[in-house]
Amino acid sequence: MTAIKGTPRGAQSSVLPMTIIGILFFIFGFVTWLNGSLIPFLKIICELNEFQALFVTFAFYIAYTVMALPMSSILKRTGYKDGMAIGLAIMVVGSLLFIPAAQTANYILFLVALFVLGTGLTILQTASNPYVVHIGPKESAAMRISIMGLINKGAGVIVPLLFTAVVLSGLENFTADHLAAMNEVERQAQITELSSRLVMPYIYMAVALCFLIGLVKFSSLPELDFEGEDQHQDKTGILHFPQVVLGAVTLFVYVGVEVIAGDTIGLYGESLGVSNFAALTSYTMVFMVFGYLIGVTCIPRFMSQQTALLLSAIAGSLCVIGAATASTDSTIIASTLWGWTGIAVIPDSVTFVAMMGLAHALVWPSVWPLALDGLGKYTAQGSALLIMGISGGAILPLIFGKVAHHFDNTQLAYWVALPCYLFILFYALKGHKMRNWKS
């Protein structure tokens, strides 16, 4: 059992912790889903092919694998509250690294900055997710995480639109063909002008993160105390908990398809000639918001966390089939989702990619409480292992990019997501129930 340190579990309201953690989840979403707009942007200013451009996701998400266990060690020493402040400070450094990267249009430096941002997010995620799970009844944990997801994906809706308005205005003058037609001096001048647009947004981000450090550090955010230190005496490490190990694999494939749906839709739209391709990530995020609303209203009242996971796997598989086989001819869609006027020309296949966001929205909220159930003193290690699963966002989009580049067919590459949803289906049916490797 987990309690707020020094206080009986029911004696202190969870409103304050949920509010502060909610602000942090907004930051998670803002920083994470900025990548979807950065990819086509850096593809132009750093003159990259599609495969090279997807190293943006690799550099960002691989930090979760490399740094998760070191960050969990920091949490053991500092506690969850101070650990969150340290994570925010690391993100300040990552934000400031974008300034020299933008001034030099150096892709390697951009990747280093993204890795540092990912490192800061690693400790924040390692601390905040078990916090949300254990701050209230475990039966409603997925509902609480869904609330956090609404905030996170709300940021994901806003940031591509904001990035497009502030940084990408006039991008039609910076296409690869347009730049190739210039002489070297003109081309470098255009690239420098475009890349310099990143400087002020990341300065503002660094200032906002500094403010949040003070908010977390000096707030009355309570510390969690994981009781039951003598539980699981037959276990000698976190790898003896199948539900956690398989949960980490489930999150690996889930984050991979989440990033594919959110971060490749812009590239896919560009290849099909969609005019507002840089903002397409917002549409995937809108569908994810709908999914989280289902979680908030229906879990646990109308469906269990296991049922939500099962339905997500089935719906995701159907969306992949639609994305990979539907028409790429443009279709008039009258909806506030598609464009500023509410009417846009969007291929059916792109719509299915966006709808993947709705299909898999409840995977993350459902896996965390199922995987951490009954871990006791192993909760921090379990959380770190689950966070390492976020590296799926580094690896699976690269596989997607390699398939798309090799076959010169982005639509074909969406088949990469199908086995991922099938593994989520396995975890929903059996994997989360396993308490030893022989069962």
Side-chain angles (χ1 to χ4, degrees), residues 97 113 256 278 391 413-414 424 426:
L97 283 174
S391 62
Y414 283 105
I424 294 170
F426 160 75

mmCIF file of all heavy atoms in Angstrom, residues 97 113 256 278 391 413-414 424 426:
data_model
loop_
_atom_site.group_PDB
_atom_site.id
_atom_site.type_symbol
_atom_site.label_atom_id
_atom_site.label_comp_id
_atom_site.label_asym_id
_atom_site.label_seq_id
_atom_site.Cartn_x
_atom_site.Cartn_y
_atom_site.Cartn_z
ATOM 1 N N LEU A 97 20.029 24.843 -25.323
ATOM 2 C CA LEU A 97 20.892 24.281 -26.369
ATOM 3 C C LEU A 97 20.305 24.489 -27.762
ATOM 4 O O LEU A 97 21.036 24.445 -28.760
ATOM 5 C CB LEU A 97 21.118 22.790 -26.120
ATOM 6 C CG LEU A 97 22.129 22.431 -25.026
ATOM 7 C CD1 LEU A 97 22.146 20.921 -24.791
ATOM 8 C CD2 LEU A 97 23.527 22.919 -25.408
ATOM 9 N N ALA A 113 20.355 18.552 -28.153
ATOM 10 C CA ALA A 113 19.372 19.318 -27.376
ATOM 11 C C ALA A 113 18.118 18.485 -27.114
ATOM 12 O O ALA A 113 17.563 18.499 -26.004
ATOM 13 C CB ALA A 113 19.006 20.598 -28.122
ATOM 14 N N GLY A 256 5.676 3.670 -29.680
ATOM 15 C CA GLY A 256 6.103 3.628 -31.073
ATOM 16 C C GLY A 256 4.977 3.990 -32.023
ATOM 17 O O GLY A 256 5.136 4.833 -32.919
ATOM 18 N N ALA A 278 2.044 20.736 -41.925
ATOM 19 C CA ALA A 278 2.801 20.984 -40.698
ATOM 20 C C ALA A 278 1.914 20.973 -39.458
ATOM 21 O O ALA A 278 2.410 20.792 -38.340
ATOM 22 C CB ALA A 278 3.541 22.322 -40.786
ATOM 23 N N SER A 391 11.163 4.221 -25.174
ATOM 24 C CA SER A 391 12.150 4.166 -26.259
ATOM 25 C C SER A 391 11.551 3.615 -27.545
ATOM 26 O O SER A 391 12.155 3.745 -28.617
ATOM 27 C CB SER A 391 13.350 3.309 -25.843
ATOM 28 O OG SER A 391 12.949 1.971 -25.581
ATOM 29 N N ALA A 413 4.334 1.828 -45.173
ATOM 30 C CA ALA A 413 5.062 1.721 -43.903
ATOM 31 C C ALA A 413 4.147 1.633 -42.696
ATOM 32 O O ALA A 413 4.576 1.190 -41.623
ATOM 33 C CB ALA A 413 6.012 2.910 -43.746
ATOM 34 N N TYR A 414 2.883 2.032 -42.828
ATOM 35 C CA TYR A 414 1.978 1.978 -41.677
ATOM 36 C C TYR A 414 1.661 0.556 -41.234
ATOM 37 O O TYR A 414 1.167 0.348 -40.118
ATOM 38 C CB TYR A 414 0.696 2.769 -41.963
ATOM 39 C CG TYR A 414 0.918 4.261 -41.845
ATOM 40 C CD1 TYR A 414 1.014 5.061 -42.979
ATOM 41 C CD2 TYR A 414 1.097 4.862 -40.605
ATOM 42 C CE1 TYR A 414 1.265 6.428 -42.883
ATOM 43 C CE2 TYR A 414 1.343 6.220 -40.491
ATOM 44 C CZ TYR A 414 1.430 6.998 -41.635
ATOM 45 O OH TYR A 414 1.685 8.342 -41.519
ATOM 46 N N ILE A 424 -0.307 -5.438 -27.832
ATOM 47 C CA ILE A 424 -1.173 -4.780 -26.846
ATOM 48 C C ILE A 424 -2.380 -5.658 -26.553
ATOM 49 O O ILE A 424 -2.820 -5.782 -25.398
ATOM 50 C CB ILE A 424 -1.605 -3.390 -27.351
ATOM 51 C CG1 ILE A 424 -0.393 -2.462 -27.457
ATOM 52 C CG2 ILE A 424 -2.653 -2.768 -26.417
ATOM 53 C CD1 ILE A 424 -0.670 -1.157 -28.172
ATOM 54 N N PHE A 426 -2.441 -8.947 -26.682
ATOM 55 C CA PHE A 426 -1.960 -10.031 -25.819
ATOM 56 C C PHE A 426 -1.872 -9.580 -24.363
ATOM 57 O O PHE A 426 -2.294 -10.292 -23.445
ATOM 58 C CB PHE A 426 -0.589 -10.517 -26.299
ATOM 59 C CG PHE A 426 0.183 -11.263 -25.250
ATOM 60 C CD1 PHE A 426 -0.146 -12.576 -24.908
ATOM 61 C CD2 PHE A 426 1.245 -10.658 -24.574
ATOM 62 C CE1 PHE A 426 0.557 -13.260 -23.925
ATOM 63 C CE2 PHE A 426 1.949 -11.332 -23.595
ATOM 64 C CZ PHE A 426 1.606 -12.642 -23.266
#
